[in-house]
Amino acid sequence: AICQLFMAVCDLFQSLDLPLEPWMCKDATAICVAKIADKKFSQLAPPLLSRLCEVQLPQNILHFAIVDVGTIKSPTPHEGLLVWAETFCREFGGQAIGGVLKSFIGWVSKECGSTNVKVKNAALSLIGVLHQHLGPILKALALSAIQDGSARSHVEKQIDANPYDPSASASPQRKCLISNKDDANEAGSAA
Protein backbone atom coordinates (compact mmCIF):
# COMPACT_ATOMS: atom_id res chain seq x y z
CA ALA A 1 0.00 0.00 0.00
CA ILE A 2 2.87 2.42 0.75
CA CYS A 3 4.35 1.95 -2.73
CA GLN A 4 0.96 2.66 -4.28
CA LEU A 5 0.65 5.78 -2.13
CA PHE A 6 4.02 7.04 -3.35
CA MET A 7 2.98 6.27 -6.95
CA ALA A 8 -0.14 8.38 -6.45
CA VAL A 9 1.97 11.20 -5.02
CA CYS A 10 4.26 11.00 -8.07
CA ASP A 11 1.21 11.19 -10.34
CA LEU A 12 -0.04 14.25 -8.46
CA PHE A 13 3.29 16.07 -8.67
CA GLN A 14 3.56 15.24 -12.36
CA SER A 15 0.06 16.61 -13.00
CA LEU A 16 1.07 19.80 -11.18
CA ASP A 17 4.30 19.90 -13.21
CA LEU A 18 6.34 20.06 -10.02
CA PRO A 19 9.35 18.07 -8.87
CA LEU A 20 8.75 15.74 -5.96
CA GLU A 21 10.39 16.98 -2.78
CA PRO A 22 13.83 15.37 -2.19
CA TRP A 23 12.90 14.27 1.35
CA MET A 24 9.91 12.35 -0.05
CA CYS A 25 12.12 10.77 -2.68
CA LYS A 26 14.67 9.76 -0.07
CA ASP A 27 12.00 8.03 2.03
CA ALA A 28 10.39 6.35 -0.98
CA THR A 29 13.77 5.20 -2.27
CA ALA A 30 14.68 3.73 1.13
CA ILE A 31 11.44 1.74 1.14
CA CYS A 32 11.99 0.55 -2.43
CA VAL A 33 15.56 -0.57 -1.81
CA ALA A 34 14.61 -2.37 1.41
CA LYS A 35 11.66 -4.10 -0.26
CA ILE A 36 12.99 -4.66 -3.79
CA ALA A 37 13.72 -8.30 -3.00
CA ASP A 38 10.59 -8.89 -0.93
CA LYS A 39 8.23 -11.19 -2.86
CA LYS A 40 5.25 -9.09 -1.80
CA PHE A 41 6.78 -5.80 -3.01
CA SER A 42 9.13 -6.90 -5.80
CA GLN A 43 6.56 -6.01 -8.46
CA LEU A 44 5.96 -2.56 -6.96
CA ALA A 45 9.40 -1.32 -5.87
CA PRO A 46 11.20 -1.22 -9.26
CA PRO A 47 8.39 0.68 -11.06
CA LEU A 48 8.26 3.16 -8.17
CA LEU A 49 12.02 3.76 -8.40
CA SER A 50 11.61 4.48 -12.12
CA ARG A 51 8.62 6.72 -11.45
CA LEU A 52 10.63 8.67 -8.87
CA CYS A 53 13.25 9.27 -11.57
CA GLU A 54 10.57 10.96 -13.64
CA VAL A 55 9.55 13.46 -10.96
CA GLN A 56 12.96 14.13 -9.41
CA LEU A 57 16.46 14.20 -10.86
CA PRO A 58 17.52 10.59 -11.47
CA GLN A 59 20.95 11.29 -10.01
CA ASN A 60 19.27 12.03 -6.66
CA ILE A 61 17.31 8.77 -6.72
CA LEU A 62 20.43 6.81 -7.70
CA HIS A 63 22.43 8.47 -4.92
CA PHE A 64 19.77 7.64 -2.31
CA ALA A 65 19.53 4.04 -3.58
CA ILE A 66 23.30 3.43 -3.51
CA VAL A 67 23.56 4.78 0.02
CA ASP A 68 20.60 2.69 1.18
CA VAL A 69 21.73 -0.59 -0.38
CA GLY A 70 25.19 -0.09 1.13
CA THR A 71 23.67 -0.58 4.58
CA ILE A 72 22.03 -3.90 3.67
CA LYS A 73 23.99 -7.14 4.15
CA SER A 74 21.61 -9.50 2.37
CA PRO A 75 22.66 -10.01 -1.27
CA THR A 76 19.10 -10.16 -2.61
CA PRO A 77 18.42 -6.38 -2.45
CA HIS A 78 21.80 -5.79 -4.10
CA GLU A 79 20.81 -8.05 -6.97
CA GLY A 80 17.37 -6.45 -7.21
CA LEU A 81 18.79 -2.93 -7.33
CA LEU A 82 21.35 -3.93 -9.98
CA VAL A 83 18.60 -5.46 -12.12
CA TRP A 84 16.52 -2.31 -11.75
CA ALA A 85 19.55 -0.13 -12.55
CA GLU A 86 19.96 -2.00 -15.85
CA THR A 87 16.30 -1.33 -16.67
CA PHE A 88 16.84 2.31 -15.66
CA CYS A 89 19.76 2.64 -18.09
CA ARG A 90 17.82 1.07 -20.93
CA GLU A 91 14.76 3.28 -20.31
CA PHE A 92 16.34 6.62 -19.36
CA GLY A 93 19.72 6.27 -21.08
CA GLY A 94 23.12 6.16 -19.45
CA GLN A 95 23.50 9.94 -19.55
CA ALA A 96 20.62 10.23 -17.04
CA ILE A 97 22.99 9.01 -14.31
CA GLY A 98 24.30 12.57 -14.30
CA GLY A 99 26.41 13.90 -11.45
CA VAL A 100 26.65 10.61 -9.56
CA LEU A 101 28.32 8.76 -12.44
CA LYS A 102 31.60 8.14 -10.62
CA SER A 103 29.98 6.84 -7.42
CA PHE A 104 27.41 4.84 -9.41
CA ILE A 105 30.09 3.09 -11.47
CA GLY A 106 32.16 2.62 -8.31
CA TRP A 107 29.20 0.86 -6.69
CA VAL A 108 28.57 -1.36 -9.74
CA SER A 109 32.28 -2.17 -9.99
CA LYS A 110 32.35 -3.16 -6.32
CA GLU A 111 29.34 -5.44 -6.89
CA CYS A 112 31.25 -7.12 -9.76
CA GLY A 113 33.55 -8.54 -7.07
CA SER A 114 30.71 -9.96 -4.99
CA THR A 115 31.01 -13.52 -3.77
CA ASN A 116 27.30 -13.99 -4.50
CA VAL A 117 26.97 -15.28 -8.07
CA LYS A 118 23.60 -13.63 -8.73
CA VAL A 119 24.85 -10.23 -7.56
CA LYS A 120 28.05 -10.59 -9.56
CA ASN A 121 26.18 -11.62 -12.73
CA ALA A 122 23.67 -8.75 -12.37
CA ALA A 123 26.55 -6.29 -11.91
CA LEU A 124 28.42 -7.63 -14.94
CA SER A 125 25.27 -7.44 -17.06
CA LEU A 126 24.81 -3.82 -15.95
CA ILE A 127 28.44 -3.07 -16.85
CA GLY A 128 27.70 -4.29 -20.38
CA VAL A 129 24.65 -2.03 -20.74
CA LEU A 130 26.53 0.91 -19.24
CA HIS A 131 29.34 0.41 -21.74
CA GLN A 132 26.86 0.44 -24.62
CA HIS A 133 25.58 3.80 -23.37
CA LEU A 134 28.72 5.47 -22.02
CA GLY A 135 31.63 3.82 -23.83
CA PRO A 136 35.15 4.96 -22.88
CA ILE A 137 34.00 6.84 -19.78
CA LEU A 138 32.55 3.66 -18.30
CA LYS A 139 35.60 1.65 -19.22
CA ALA A 140 38.01 4.11 -17.58
CA LEU A 141 35.98 4.51 -14.39
CA ALA A 142 35.13 0.83 -13.97
CA LEU A 143 38.62 -0.50 -14.60
CA SER A 144 40.18 2.11 -12.31
CA ALA A 145 37.78 1.05 -9.52
CA ILE A 146 38.46 -2.69 -9.74
CA GLN A 147 41.57 -4.05 -8.05
CA ASP A 148 40.72 -7.77 -8.10
CA GLY A 149 42.22 -9.45 -11.17
CA SER A 150 39.39 -11.94 -11.67
CA ALA A 151 36.66 -9.30 -11.42
CA ARG A 152 38.65 -7.04 -13.73
CA SER A 153 38.89 -9.82 -16.31
CA HIS A 154 35.12 -10.41 -16.17
CA VAL A 155 34.46 -6.68 -16.57
CA GLU A 156 36.81 -6.46 -19.55
CA LYS A 157 34.95 -9.36 -21.19
CA GLN A 158 31.61 -7.59 -20.66
CA ILE A 159 33.01 -4.39 -22.12
CA ASP A 160 34.33 -6.24 -25.18
CA ALA A 161 31.03 -8.10 -25.64
CA ASN A 162 28.96 -4.88 -25.46
CA PRO A 163 30.50 -2.27 -27.78
CA TYR A 164 29.79 1.42 -27.32
CA ASP A 165 26.72 2.54 -29.25
CA PRO A 166 26.23 6.33 -29.16
CA SER A 167 22.63 5.89 -30.32
CA ALA A 168 21.79 3.79 -27.21
CA SER A 169 21.21 6.92 -25.13
CA ALA A 170 20.05 9.14 -27.99
CA SER A 171 16.32 8.49 -27.62
CA PRO A 172 15.40 7.45 -24.09
CA GLN A 173 12.02 5.77 -23.62
CA ARG A 174 11.44 7.71 -20.40
CA LYS A 175 12.53 11.16 -19.31
CA CYS A 176 12.84 13.06 -16.10
CA LEU A 177 10.15 15.72 -16.09
CA ILE A 178 12.36 18.27 -14.32
CA SER A 179 15.72 17.71 -16.00
CA ASN A 180 15.41 20.73 -18.28
CA LYS A 181 13.76 23.11 -15.84
CA ASP A 182 15.48 26.05 -14.20
CA ASP A 183 14.64 24.77 -10.72
CA ALA A 184 16.23 21.35 -11.28
CA ASN A 185 19.42 22.35 -9.48
CA GLU A 186 17.41 23.68 -6.54
CA ALA A 187 15.52 20.39 -6.26
CA GLY A 188 18.72 18.39 -6.51
CA SER A 189 20.65 20.40 -3.95
CA ALA A 190 19.26 18.32 -1.10
CA ALA A 191 20.97 15.20 -2.42
Side-chain angles (χ1 to χ4, degrees), residues 89-164:
C89 288
R90 291 183 190 281
E91 292 180 346
F92 287 86
Q95 80 287 350
I97 297 168
V100 295
L101 182 64
K102 188 174 181 180
S103 61
F104 183 78
I105 292 175
W107 166 68
V108 177
S109 298
K110 179 182 172 192
E111 299 287 22
C112 286
S114 174
T115 56
N116 183 286
V117 175
K118 290 181 178 182
V119 171
K120 183 183 210 172
N121 289 341
L124 289 169
S125 180
L126 178 54
I127 286 284
V129 171
L130 286 167
H131 188 258
Q132 289 173 330
H133 286 257
L134 303 172
I137 295 167
L138 172 273
K139 184 174 184 177
L141 289 172
L143 293 179
S144 69
I146 298 173
Q147 305 302 320
D148 178 57
S150 174
R152 187 180 184 91
S153 173
H154 289 297
V155 167
E156 287 172 339
K157 286 179 186 172
Q158 277 299 108
I159 288 171
D160 291 343
N162 295 280
Y164 176 48

Side-chain angles (χ1 to χ4, degrees), residues 12-35:
L12 173 64
F13 273 73
Q14 179 183 6
S15 72
L16 296 172
D17 200 28
L18 293 171
L20 191 60
E21 294 294 324
W23 68 268
M24 287 184 192
C25 293
K26 186 174 184 177
D27 290 346
T29 302
I31 291 167
C32 288
V33 170
K35 299 294 185 182

Side-chain angles (χ1 to χ4, degrees), residues 30 33-35 67-75 77-78:
V33 170
K35 299 294 185 182
V67 169
D68 289 337
V69 81
T71 65
I72 299 172
K73 290 185 179 185
S74 170
H78 291 256

